[in-house]
Amino acid sequence: MKKFQIFIALLSLAILFIGAVVLNNTFLAKYRLDLTQNQVYTLSEGSKQIIEQVEDPIYFYFFFSQENSEGMTQIRNYAQRVQSLLEEYASLSDGNIKLEIIDPAPFSEAEDNAEEFGLTAAQVGSLGEKLYFGLGARNAFDKSETIAFFEPSKESFLEYDISQLLQQLVAPKSINVSLLTGLPVSGSANTMNPMMAMQQSQPAWVFYQQLEQLYQINRVETVNTEIPANTDVLLLINPNEMNENLQYSIDQYVMNGGKALIFIDPLNESTGVMPTDSQNTASLLAAWGIEYNPDIVLDAASALEIRLASGAAGKHYGYLGLHSQNINQNDAINAQLESINGASFGSLMKMDKLKDAQFEPLLSSSSSASTMELEQYQAVVDPNQLKVGFEPKNQVYHLAVRVNGKISSAFATNDELNQAANFKSETDKANLIVVADSDILADRFWVQTSQFFGEMVATPFANNGDFVANAVENLSGSDELISIRARGKFSRPFTRVNELELKAEVQFRQKEEQLQQKLTETENQLAQLQGQPLEANQLVLNDKQQAAIDEFAKQRVKIRKALREVQHQLNKDIEALGRWLKFINIAVAPLCLTLLLFVFSLLLKRRRLT
């Protein structure tokens, strides 16, 4: 009878467990609790708003090679992270996003589909097996987009990349970029060379050629009175003096939520022209709350090394090479950018009137920087003169910034223009990127061009072109997409383990170095003894020589053993921590469960007795 009761109890528990699983998968699957520190499994509001725009079915095909990724723990963990995020997109779409998980086995139809989408196949293993780890997506109109390979190094921007792909499928359209500039970025005829009988045409700058391949570029001249109505991104690059109506058109474009990428430069050294008349642009920026300082930023820590007139190499404090410490890697447009070069940067500051907007630096100088007035900088002939009397101000200068939020019109107090029918005096959806330099667009600061079988080939040595392309791409997206920021990483460092490693390093490294030095000396002495020539008529080592060699050999063994012991001590605390974690993971849960059952059985016995 007792055995039957136990059987019934176990059967009831099994049925209860299965029922709970079915209930969870059927009704509670869409409810999740994200306990990660940075909420990496929770989509931002911008992504949710993009998902809400999905009306027709969109198919996500997530390709990941399970078999060929065996043993690659980091990649497999990241693949699980990507899959979880894709499932979150699908679960919030009311069934409009269909997610399919595909393992493209070698020589399978799934592998053909991965290649059809254009996914990147990474070569892994000694036999060159292919690892697919990407996303192919298609909308109801058969337009497809891909993420060729999910690079773990871009984990912070995983959500941005997926949301960007989704938006391209939700609202596909061509992007119109309106360009207003006083620089010959689209190429020009060279009339300045007196040695040439005929004019020599100059090719378009490489960044402009790249933008032409991606977007529809519409030139706007300073004599125009308004910018095109279909402008998606306004690109201002050192425009010459603009008439008032054109300034008003730009201002109202921004007030109506238009996005703008603005380059303002105290001196464009790449074209050899005089300082640009940037007063109009500076006035617009000041009215919007962005102060532009035309003094040249000199930076001893970021200075580029150039070939001086004397033929020697030397640093030019006005030519800056910005690296990861000067580039805000938390912004989507700067993801994976390693270096950006430029010359004679101005600087940007946030004004008090910009209190309701975000002012986010994108590029900054080091703290070993100072400024010099433009006229004084222009008078410098030898770059070494910039070092004379140079004193860093321990201040970081903002060289490029992003501004989002509320700004006011530059024509709010213009009694004539602010009476126009559609005049807007302010906006809370400003989207501006401002760069205090235009030399970063010039080829010589970031790309080397050469002729290859009659074709011009551009080889970049800095990321200036990527910066511009990323900025235009980012601004051409919706407000929801632009609002998505870098997220935390799923993989978190083992800080406790790192602390133990550092502590062990400090404690044992000195002893290890002493032993290593003693071992080297012993081995050298042993080698000298073994290499000594024998005396005349001596065929073998005498007892004294052999004893010395044996003694040094013993010392070598002893020192090596001590070294191994020291190296073992380095990991001793870490191994102890690992044992505790194993104990907690393996033993604590069963012990707790057993304790609960024991308490439960005591309660049952007490109930029967009463």
Side-chain angles (χ1 to χ4, degrees):
M1 185 64 182
K2 190 174 182 180
K3 291 184 178 178
F4 180 73
Q5 289 178 341
I6 295 175
F7 172 75
I8 292 299
L10 292 175
L11 181 63
S12 300
L13 285 174
I15 294 174
L16 185 63
F17 175 75
I18 295 173
V21 171
V22 172
L23 180 67
N24 176 70
N25 292 340
T26 306
F27 300 104
L28 304 178
K30 62 181 179 181
Y31 299 104
R32 301 184 179 191
L33 183 61
D34 189 352
L35 298 178
T36 55
Q37 183 183 25
N38 297 309
Q39 301 288 292
V40 294
Y41 290 107
T42 303
L43 296 183
S44 62
E45 285 303 315
S47 294
K48 291 177 181 176
Q49 291 172 12
I50 293 174
I51 293 173
E52 289 175 358
Q53 299 170 16
V54 180
E55 296 178 351
D56 299 311
I58 289 180
Y59 299 89
F60 278 1
Y61 303 98
F62 175 50
F63 292 86
F64 182 67
S65 304
Q66 291 288 348
E67 183 179 350
N68 290 340
S69 64
E70 287 185 359
M72 305 171 70
T73 306
Q74 183 183 3
I75 287 289
R76 292 175 75 90
N77 288 341
Y78 187 47
Q80 187 61 44
R81 157 101 166 95
V82 174
Q83 181 176 329
S84 297
L85 199 62
L86 292 173
E87 289 171 346
E88 186 71 6
Y89 276 83
S91 67
L92 295 176
S93 69
D94 292 331
N96 288 326
I97 297 177
K98 319 283 186 186
L99 174 63
E100 186 174 343
I101 313 297
I102 301 174
D103 179 6
F107 309 108
S108 66
E109 184 178 350
E111 186 180 43
D112 295 338
N113 292 336
E115 292 185 355
E116 183 181 347
F117 271 114
L119 302 189
T120 299
Q123 301 291 324
V124 296
S126 57
L127 300 178
E129 295 91 341
K130 294 180 179 178
L131 171 64
Y132 288 96
F133 184 18
L135 178 68
R138 186 173 285 124
N139 64 13
F141 305 100
D142 210 29
K143 175 180 171 56
S144 62
E145 295 288 343
T146 61
I147 296 177
F149 196 91
F150 287 105
E151 298 181 23
S153 59
K154 285 193 67 180
E155 182 181 356
S156 299
F157 299 97
L158 175 62
E159 182 188 349
Y160 178 86
D161 290 341
I162 296 174
S163 293
Q164 184 185 42
L165 174 143
L166 181 60
Q167 188 182 57
Q168 289 169 343
L169 294 173
V170 171
K173 65 172 188 176
S174 60
I175 304 300
N176 292 294
V177 177
S178 294
L179 171 63
L180 177 59
T181 181
L183 301 178
V185 297
S186 59
S188 64
N190 183 8
T191 58
M192 302 298 292
N193 190 346
M195 302 300 293
M196 301 293 291
M198 298 180 62
Q199 293 183 348
Q200 181 182 7
S201 63
Q202 295 294 316
W205 296 9
V206 173
F207 93 90
Y208 181 85
Q209 297 176 35
Q210 291 181 338
L211 292 183
E212 266 193 321
Q213 296 173 3
L214 299 171
Y215 309 108
Q216 177 63 44
I217 307 291
N218 303 309
R219 291 297 301 261
V220 181
E221 304 300 333
T222 52
V223 295
N224 294 138
T225 56
E226 60 182 14
I227 61 174
N230 63 348
T231 299
D232 294 305
V233 178
L234 177 62
L235 182 54
L236 294 182
I237 306 173
N238 275 7
N240 294 323
E241 186 176 359
M242 297 179 285
N243 60 67
E244 188 178 49
N245 288 334
L246 183 57
Q247 294 177 54
Y248 176 78
S249 177
I250 293 171
D251 176 80
Q252 288 302 293
Y253 165 79
V254 172
M255 291 303 115
N256 283 282
K259 291 96 173 179
L261 173 58
I262 302 170
F263 293 85
I264 181 171
D265 193 357
L267 176 67
N268 185 278
E269 302 190 41
S270 304
T271 55
V273 297
M274 296 298 290
T276 309
D277 182 7
S278 56
Q279 186 57 44
N280 294 151
T281 309
S283 298
L284 282 174
L285 292 177
W288 295 336
I290 306 166
E291 182 178 346
Y292 162 68
N293 186 346
D295 290 347
I296 306 298
V297 175
L298 306 180
D299 191 339
S302 304
L304 283 173
E305 190 166 281
I306 65 171
R307 184 69 61 185
L308 303 176
S310 61
K315 285 191 172 182
H316 192 308
Y317 283 10
Y319 287 13
L320 307 188
L322 307 175
H323 296 282
S324 56
Q325 63 270 24
N326 312 111
I327 301 173
N328 180 3
Q329 302 280 353
N330 290 323
D331 195 285
I333 71 170
N334 286 338
Q336 295 188 314
L337 300 190
E338 296 179 353
S339 65
I340 293 176
N341 299 331
S344 56
F345 283 86
S347 57
L348 303 161
M349 288 170 284
K350 181 179 182 178
M351 300 172 68
D352 293 340
K353 65 176 70 174
L354 206 61
K355 61 182 179 181
D356 295 325
Q358 292 183 337
F359 183 90
E360 181 183 13
L362 298 177
L363 304 175
S364 303
S365 73
S366 75
S367 58
S368 301
S370 183
T371 58
M372 176 180 281
E373 291 185 358
L374 176 59
E375 293 75 13
Q376 186 181 356
Y377 179 82
Q378 282 185 283
V380 171
V381 178
D382 183 356
N384 284 324
Q385 296 175 1
L386 297 174
K387 304 175 184 176
V388 179
F390 174 82
E391 293 184 5
K393 294 183 178 178
N394 293 322
Q395 177 181 347
V396 172
Y397 295 91
H398 303 319
L399 310 177
V401 299
R402 180 197 286 272
V403 175
N404 296 107
K406 187 176 181 179
I407 64 174
S408 299
S409 168
F411 293 86
T413 58
N414 187 312
D415 294 335
E416 181 180 351
L417 293 174
N418 64 13
Q419 299 301 315
N422 298 320
F423 176 76
K424 286 198 67 174
S425 60
E426 64 179 24
T427 179
D428 57 0
K429 294 184 177 180
N431 273 305
L432 306 171
I433 292 178
V434 185
V435 184
D437 184 40
S438 60
D439 290 288
I440 71 171
L441 303 172
D443 294 353
R444 70 177 180 133
F445 280 98
W446 70 279
V447 69
Q448 185 174 18
T449 56
S450 58
Q451 290 283 344
F452 186 75
F453 289 104
E455 296 288 334
M456 187 67 73
V457 177
T459 305
F461 53 84
N463 297 117
N464 300 29
D466 299 324
F467 174 80
V468 178
N470 291 350
V472 174
E473 181 184 56
N474 180 263
L475 291 175
S476 65
S478 64
D479 294 337
E480 294 82 9
L481 184 65
I482 295 173
S483 70
I484 300 173
R485 294 288 184 265
R487 306 294 296 273
K489 294 186 176 183
F490 169 75
S491 55
R492 299 179 59 193
F494 291 93
T495 53
R496 176 61 178 156
V497 172
N498 292 340
E499 290 174 1
L500 289 174
E501 285 181 337
L502 287 174
K503 185 178 178 183
E505 287 274 345
V506 173
Q507 189 173 358
F508 296 108
R509 190 60 65 194
Q510 187 177 3
K511 187 175 180 181
E512 184 186 27
E513 290 176 356
Q514 292 173 351
L515 288 171
Q516 189 65 51
Q517 184 179 359
K518 190 174 181 182
L519 176 63
T520 303
E521 293 173 355
T522 302
E523 289 181 333
N524 290 338
Q525 290 173 339
L526 184 60
Q528 287 179 359
L529 283 174
Q530 292 174 331
Q532 281 182 354
L534 299 176
E535 296 178 357
N537 302 323
Q538 184 182 358
L539 299 177
V540 296
L541 296 173
N542 59 38
D543 292 343
K544 188 178 179 181
Q545 290 172 321
Q546 186 60 51
I549 290 175
D550 293 343
E551 180 61 28
F552 277 115
K554 286 180 182 178
Q555 287 186 24
R556 182 173 62 179
V557 173
K558 188 177 179 181
I559 294 172
R560 285 180 174 176
K561 184 179 179 181
L563 262 176
R564 285 197 296 272
E565 182 63 24
V566 168
Q567 289 165 353
H568 171 71
Q569 290 293 331
L570 281 171
N571 299 318
K572 186 178 177 181
D573 291 338
I574 298 173
E575 292 172 356
L577 178 63
R579 286 194 294 272
W580 268 107
L581 290 175
K582 284 181 182 178
F583 173 75
I584 292 172
N585 287 331
I586 297 173
V588 169
L591 286 175
C592 291
L593 184 59
T594 304
L595 183 62
L596 284 175
L597 291 174
F598 177 71
V599 173
F600 183 66
S601 65
L602 287 179
L603 292 174
L604 283 178
K605 285 182 179 179
R606 179 175 294 180
R607 185 176 179 183
R608 287 175 184 173
L609 291 175
T610 56

